[in-house]
């Protein structure tokens, strides 16, 4: 087996650069003559701006520019856009899209809302000048409690709307669901909270703007998940210029998780200020400002119920959710808890009578948007909690009730309740593997041993399915250099996933060019022709397939040139490693020789274009494919303190064919850590009276640490997808989907309670123990 081929556990080639300090992140870049921008943000959750005086700030040492909401209007800059439309339930008001200018002029609607920007020679001078801005606020009533946002009499974020309802969405099927409940043997119900979380990529957000007067275009350097979405939205909606009038570059990026793929006000601010001043302008957030300005995730309050027949077969599912979208709609915001999550309604279970209604609600909080899993973890969590309750109600094992409800292999391809076709999967097989890996049958002995030490031990499982993909096309270009190296340009974007390694494996496996001689080019709207970036675990199935097809095109042309050079028929040319030879002979040429000939029209076959440079726009008819997996967690609880420790964890994932098991396991590790974080530690809490974010630093926002995780036992249950020639599915988000239900199930098992909301803090567990006693 080729050491660097597809499926091999190749170590990431980019890690040597990162681990030796040779990564190049946006904050490592300082342009000649660069100024620094800082933003004055609202200290109030909701207030009217009575007066604003920036004269003292303008006169402060080193200050080059002070801009306000009035300047935004005067310069004709557009609002930040919502990029989706969400259909309202028939008979209810349509989606309400409030305006969101770069800087607020009349009112602020959450703590952190931008009001004034200052540009100065140094960051310290800009920060000092912010202190001199005189603003008189009239505080207004605020609402930060998602579950109360739609109550009669709740404070209104947008009074013109008349309520805090942004949109009420449903998938329909109400009559079928009502009928299922009417004939049910038993039904269970639950009320649960999806706690608000903050993505917190390792790299805080940064933006550098410049204005190229000679070219008449803006230059932006910033961490993104793909440069074209940022470029196109800024051009169309904010600056109202042609796309080519903005150049966006993303160097190395320290994490994304869905958050870095958005259009942010600060990106527009640095460009706007740079053009006004004729000098580069840099903005850098510290951790608190990142938490206040990045979109948050989750934040749902859900009531759900599931109907069963006497054998434990689920007949119907009814879900009512209030999902906070924050004070404004950001990018994909209201799509996440509605259309995006509902793509896997029913998850891996054979349930057709599903009726979901999601009320997207405005609150005086940071806007929400995609965060690892983007709606699907919430759906999986709700269904898995209901199945645990159903098992208890019917006297079944938690593994058995799932076994009775899985979509069977003979039902696949399976059209789920929202019309998506699950093209592959063996869910019962994956669960069986996971239970063996976790030693589910041996748990009783481990529980008894823990009890002897005075600890409560529990085990739980969670099954998920993802809808990975999105934007059903992607671009790649493979060019062979005169030295015989391969240069791959691709429209996806690696911000930690390891594309330099995985895509090089595809090119190497196809062309035979040494793995280390494959170069990745990404993240520059001048060097990459087009692309949809990385999000929704789409890179391997979209960028990977585009890379394969572009490599195939280069290979076919190389064989034609080799045949011409060797005076043979193209059908007789075979690749042997990095050489091409005539089958059955020693006659051959190298990639470098073919590349040299390709640049000389006199040495090419008739009607063959010069160069070895092929690009492909890969399109597919389906938006998604469906990775899935079963996760099993064991926890121990100290009954005196309520402290919970996850002590064992096993997961079996079906990501289709595996390009590189090391990379996929790395993705699983990260997703599980973030899922554990939501389940046990993380909570973006707002004060209900003042609307202040009480967890705006790592002193108050509990991030998972290495000591919070046990060793992770991971394996694959490979069921290739038939919808692409690599057979790959998404691999990035499963851990964040599987960990919360597995860990909460284990905690409830240890405590002997039906349900406990996340995060499973010592106080929450201690109170549950006290209530049980």
């Amino acid at each position: 087996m080729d050491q660097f081929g597809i499926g091999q556990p190749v170590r990431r080639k980019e890690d040597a650069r990162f681990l030796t300090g040779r990564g190049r992140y946006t904050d490592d870049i300082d342009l000649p003559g660069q100024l620094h921008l800082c933003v004055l943000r609202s200290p109030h959750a909701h207030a009217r701006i009575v007066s604003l005086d920036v004269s003292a700030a303008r006169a402060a040492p080193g200050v080059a520019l002070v801009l306000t909401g009035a300047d935004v209007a005067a310069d004709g800059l557009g609002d930040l856009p919502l990029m989706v439309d969400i259909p309202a339930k028939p008979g209810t008001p349509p989606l309400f899209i409030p305006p969101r200018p770069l800087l607020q002029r009349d009112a602020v609607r959450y703590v952190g809302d931008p009001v004034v920007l200052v540009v100065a020679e140094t960051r310290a001078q800009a920060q000092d000048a912010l202190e001199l801005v005189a603003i008189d606020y009239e505080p207004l009533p605020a609402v930060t409690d998602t579950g109360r946002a739609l109550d009669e009499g709740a404070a209104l974020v947008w009074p013109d709307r008349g309520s805090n309802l942004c949109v009420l969405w449903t998938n329909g099927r109400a009559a079928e669901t009502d009928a299922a409940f009417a004939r049910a043997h038993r039904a269970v119900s639950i009320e649960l909270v999806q706690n608000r979380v903050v993505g917190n990529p390792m790299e805080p957000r940064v933006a550098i703007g410049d204005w190229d007067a000679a070219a008449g275009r803006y230059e932006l350097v910033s961490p993104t998940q793909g440069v074209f979405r940022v470029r196109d939205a800024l051009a169309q909606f904010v600056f109202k210029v042609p796309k080519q009038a903005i150049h966006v570059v993303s160097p190395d990026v320290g994490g994304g998780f869905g958050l870095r793929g958005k259009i942010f006000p600060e990106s527009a601010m640095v460009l706007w200020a740079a053009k006004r001043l004729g000098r580069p302008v840099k903005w850098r957030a510290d951790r608190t400002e990142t938490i206040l300005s990045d979109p948050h995730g989750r934040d749902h309050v859900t009531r759900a119920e599931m109907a069963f027949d006497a054998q434990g077969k689920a007949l119907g599912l009814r879900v009512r959710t209030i999902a906070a979208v924050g004070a404004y709609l950001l990018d994909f915001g209201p799509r996440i808890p509605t259309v995006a999550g509902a793509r896997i309604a029913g998850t891996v279970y054979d349930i057709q009578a599903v009726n979901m209604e999601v009320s997207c609600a405005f609150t005086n909080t940071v806007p929400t948007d995609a965060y690892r899993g983007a709606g699907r973890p919430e759906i999986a969590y709700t269904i898995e909690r209901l199945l645990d309750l159903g098992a208890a109600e019917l006297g079944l094992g938690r593994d058995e009730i799932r076994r009775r409800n899985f979509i069977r292999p003979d039902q696949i391809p399976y059209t789920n309740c929202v019309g998506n076709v699950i093209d592959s999967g063996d869910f019962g097989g994956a669960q069986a593997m996971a239970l063996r890996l976790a030693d589910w049958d041996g748990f009783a002995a481990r529980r008894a041993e823990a009890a002897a030490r005075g600890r409560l031990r529990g085990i739980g499982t969670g099954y998920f399915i993802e809808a990975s993909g999105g934007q059903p096309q992607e671009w790649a270009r493979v060019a062979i250099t005169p030295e015989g190296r391969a240069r791959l340009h691709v429209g996806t974007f690696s911000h930690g996933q390891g594309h330099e390694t995985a895509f090089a494996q595809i090119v190497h496996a196809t062309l035979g060019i040494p793995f280390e001689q494959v170069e990745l080019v990404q993240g520059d709207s001048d060097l990459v022709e087009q692309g949809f970036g990385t999000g929704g675990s789409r890179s391997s199935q979209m960028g990977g397939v585009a890379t394969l097809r572009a490599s195939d095109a280069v290979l076919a042309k190389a064989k034609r040139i080799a045949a011409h050079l060797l005076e043979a028929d193209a059908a007789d040319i075979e690749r042997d490693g990095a050489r091409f030879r005539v089958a059955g002979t020693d006659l051959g040429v190298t990639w470098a020789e073919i590349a040299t000939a390709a640049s000389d029209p006199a040495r090419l076959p008739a009607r063959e274009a010069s160069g070895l440079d092929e690009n492909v726009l890969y399109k597919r008819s389906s938006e998604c494919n469906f990775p899935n997996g079963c996760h099993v967690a064991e926890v121990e609880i100290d009954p005196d303190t309520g402290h919970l420790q996850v002590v064992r964890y096993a997961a079996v994932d079906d990501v289709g064919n595996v390009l590189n098991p090391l990379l996929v396991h790395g993705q699983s590790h990260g997703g599980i850590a973030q899922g554990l974080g939501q389940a046990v530690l993380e909570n973006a809490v707002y004060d209900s009276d003042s609307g202040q974010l009480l967890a705006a630093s790592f002193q108050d926002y509990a991030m998972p640490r290495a000591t919070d995780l046990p060793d992770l036992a991971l394996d694959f249950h490979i069921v290739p997808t038939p919808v692409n020639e690599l057979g790959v599915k998404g691999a990035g988000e499963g851990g964040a989907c599987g960990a919360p239900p597995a860990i909460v199930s284990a905690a409830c098992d240890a405590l002997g309670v039906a349900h406990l909301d996340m995060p499973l803090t010592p106080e929450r567990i201690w109170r549950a123990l006290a209530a049980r006693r």
Side-chain angles (χ1 to χ4, degrees):
M1 181 69 71
D2 187 338
Q3 178 184 357
F4 298 104
I6 292 173
Q8 295 304 298
V10 181
R11 291 186 178 274
R12 300 192 342 164
K13 63 163 63 178
E14 50 267 66
D15 283 353
R17 184 173 84 251
F18 294 142
L19 293 174
T20 55
R22 291 180 288 121
R24 185 171 180 266
Y25 298 88
T26 302
D27 199 35
D28 295 325
I29 300 169
D30 290 299
L31 301 179
Q34 175 180 283
L35 296 163
H36 295 266
L37 183 149
C38 291
V39 181
L40 183 66
R41 299 179 184 276
S42 167
H44 298 283
H46 197 190
R48 188 171 67 88
I49 299 174
V50 178
S51 63
L52 174 61
D53 184 354
V54 298
S55 57
R58 285 192 171 124
V63 170
L65 184 66
V66 178
L67 294 172
T68 69
D71 300 305
V72 173
D75 283 9
L77 298 182
D79 292 341
L80 295 172
L82 176 69
M83 304 300 289
V84 294
D85 184 31
I86 305 301
K89 179 182 178 180
T92 66
L95 174 72
F96 178 73
I97 307 174
R100 190 184 185 190
L102 301 185
L103 297 167
Q104 299 307 322
R105 185 176 183 179
D106 302 315
V108 291
R109 293 174 177 85
Y110 70 95
V111 174
D113 213 352
V115 181
V116 177
L117 71 83
V118 171
V119 181
E121 294 292 337
T122 69
R123 190 167 184 262
Q125 288 174 327
Q127 289 174 322
D128 289 343
L130 291 181
E131 300 287 339
L132 302 176
V133 175
I135 306 181
D136 183 16
Y137 289 104
E138 177 191 340
L140 299 171
V143 58
T144 59
D145 185 339
T146 301
R148 307 301 299 274
L150 300 179
D151 287 358
E152 187 176 350
L156 298 182
V157 181
W158 296 97
D160 291 348
R161 173 65 162 173
S163 80
N164 287 322
L165 181 66
C166 168
V167 66
L168 171 58
W169 172 90
T170 183
N171 72 306
R173 299 204 175 194
E176 299 97 310
T177 304
D178 290 345
F181 274 85
R183 69 176 187 273
H185 172 68
R186 296 282 178 86
V188 296
S189 63
I190 195 169
E191 294 188 7
L192 55 85
V193 173
Q194 277 279 343
N195 42 318
R196 176 180 281 245
V197 293
V198 183
N200 279 316
M202 187 178 294
E203 177 191 19
R205 197 150 46 81
V206 189
I208 303 172
D210 201 2
W211 171 251
D212 185 338
R217 73 172 184 171
Y218 298 95
E219 306 273 348
L220 175 67
V221 181
S222 188
T224 72
Q225 291 180 216
V227 294
F228 291 103
R229 290 193 71 250
V230 174
R231 181 199 69 175
D232 295 354
L234 287 172
Q236 180 179 354
F237 297 104
V238 179
F239 293 105
K240 303 169 186 175
V241 297
K243 295 175 184 177
Q244 292 70 27
I246 298 181
H247 174 212
V248 179
V249 174
S250 289
D252 290 326
V253 172
F257 315 127
L259 315 175
R260 288 292 180 263
K262 308 304 170 188
I263 300 93
F264 293 109
E266 297 83 5
S267 298
M269 289 178 194
V270 295
L271 296 176
W272 180 32
K275 183 177 181 181
R276 272 180 160 250
L277 294 167
R279 292 173 64 182
V281 175
K282 183 177 189 176
W283 169 78
R284 173 178 62 81
D286 59 18
R287 182 55 61 182
T288 291
E289 191 173 18
T290 295
I291 291 174
L292 289 173
S293 61
D294 271 6
H296 293 180
R298 316 297 193 241
D299 198 355
H300 298 182
V301 176
T302 294
R303 291 181 297 105
E305 49 192 336
M306 185 175 282
F308 296 92
D309 68 15
Q311 286 71 47
K313 177 72 172 66
L315 302 176
L317 171 67
R318 187 183 289 127
V319 181
R320 300 292 181 267
T321 292
I322 301 174
V325 293
Y328 305 92
L329 301 183
L330 174 70
D331 200 52
F332 278 13
R335 186 176 188 268
I336 304 307
T338 57
V339 177
R343 289 188 296 189
I344 50 90
T347 67
V348 293
Y349 306 107
D350 181 20
I351 315 173
Q352 288 293 321
V354 177
N355 174 233
M356 304 171 58
E357 290 189 1
V358 179
S359 298
C360 295
F362 291 111
T363 54
N364 294 109
T365 62
V366 174
T368 59
D369 206 297
Y371 171 65
R372 202 166 193 165
R376 277 83 73 186
E378 297 92 315
I379 295 287
Y381 181 74
T382 299
I383 291 176
E384 294 299 294
R385 297 304 304 127
L386 285 167
L387 285 170
D388 275 9
L389 296 183
E393 179 73 17
L394 294 163
L396 297 173
R398 287 169 291 164
D399 56 334
E400 179 60 27
I401 197 168
R402 288 165 172 82
R403 201 172 288 118
R404 296 184 184 190
N405 282 284
F406 284 134
I407 299 164
R408 302 185 310 274
D410 61 72
Q411 293 177 284
I412 291 175
Y414 178 89
T415 302
N416 72 8
C417 62
V418 292
N420 284 321
V421 178
I422 298 173
D423 57 68
S424 58
D426 174 16
F427 312 127
Q431 177 179 264
M433 282 186 65
L435 297 182
R436 287 196 299 271
L437 188 63
D439 187 22
W440 180 274
D441 292 339
F443 171 71
R446 296 191 294 277
R447 170 175 268 173
E449 186 275 332
R453 292 184 283 106
R455 294 293 188 266
L456 303 174
R457 190 165 181 132
I459 192 169
T461 183
Y463 209 115
F464 73 91
I465 192 168
E466 255 285 352
S468 69
Q471 299 288 357
Q473 66 180 48
E474 192 50 75
W475 178 87
R477 171 188 173 196
V478 174
I480 307 302
T481 70
E483 302 79 23
R485 302 171 65 91
R487 184 171 293 127
L488 167 66
H489 297 69
V490 67
T492 56
F493 185 79
S494 180
H495 47 276
Q497 292 87 348
H499 295 178
E500 286 183 50
T501 301
F503 289 171
Q505 289 177 257
I506 296 172
V507 174
H508 166 72
T510 308
L511 302 181
I513 291 173
F515 171 79
E516 65 275 8
Q517 293 181 17
V518 181
E519 173 191 350
L520 177 69
V521 178
Q522 62 164 17
D524 188 321
S525 62
D526 277 358
L527 300 180
V528 177
E529 183 178 303
Q530 58 179 296
F532 288 90
T534 293
S537 300
R538 68 185 300 274
S539 290
S540 64
Q541 59 185 287
M542 299 303 298
V545 173
T547 296
L548 176 65
R549 292 189 177 188
S551 300
D552 283 338
V554 167
L555 179 65
K557 184 172 183 179
K559 285 184 174 181
R560 294 194 298 271
I561 296 173
H564 183 70
L565 295 175
L566 298 170
E567 299 179 345
D569 191 282
D572 294 329
I573 300 297
E574 59 185 24
R575 182 179 66 77
D576 182 10
R579 287 178 54 84
F580 292 81
R581 63 183 179 88
V582 180
T585 76
D586 293 330
L587 297 174
V589 289
T590 66
W591 271 109
E593 291 170 320
I594 294 174
T596 299
S599 63
D600 182 357
R603 301 182 65 193
L604 291 175
R607 296 180 296 280
E608 191 76 72
S610 62
L612 272 175
D613 188 341
E614 301 292 328
N615 69 83
V616 167
L617 182 63
Y618 165 57
K619 298 182 179 182
R620 70 179 189 198
S621 58
S622 60
E623 183 184 7
C624 303
N625 62 31
F626 299 93
N628 60 90
C630 182
H631 290 217
V632 181
E634 281 187 44
V635 305
E636 281 192 4
I637 293 172
D638 182 339
D640 294 326
T641 64
H643 179 262
L644 177 147
Q645 184 73 34
V646 179
V647 292
R648 286 169 65 104
Y649 199 99
V652 170
D653 288 330
D654 169 16
V655 298
N657 288 331
V658 179
L659 296 181
N660 182 323
L662 281 182
L663 297 185
V664 177
H665 283 330
Q667 289 292 303
S668 296
H669 292 164
I672 291 167
Q674 287 180 286
L676 180 147
Q678 182 182 7
V680 181
L681 299 164
E682 301 180 47
N683 202 14
V685 181
Y686 283 86
D687 181 78
S688 58
D689 294 326
S690 67
Q692 295 293 322
L693 180 58
L694 303 179
S697 76
F698 286 163
Q699 287 182 306
D700 304 297
Y701 189 90
M703 293 284 285
R705 296 170 169 82
T707 54
D708 294 314
L709 280 86
D711 289 338
L712 305 176
L714 306 179
D715 205 345
F716 300 117
H717 184 54
I718 296 173
V719 183
T721 176
V723 301
N724 66 67
E725 50 263 54
L726 286 172
V728 295
K729 307 174 186 177
E733 296 168 298
C737 298
I743 293 170
V744 171
S745 177
C748 293
D749 181 51
L751 294 168
V753 299
H755 178 67
L756 202 60
D757 274 328
M758 303 181 290
L760 301 169
T761 60
E763 178 189 1
R764 184 164 285 170
I765 291 173
W766 185 87
R767 291 185 181 279
L769 285 166
R772 190 182 70 171
R773 286 194 293 265

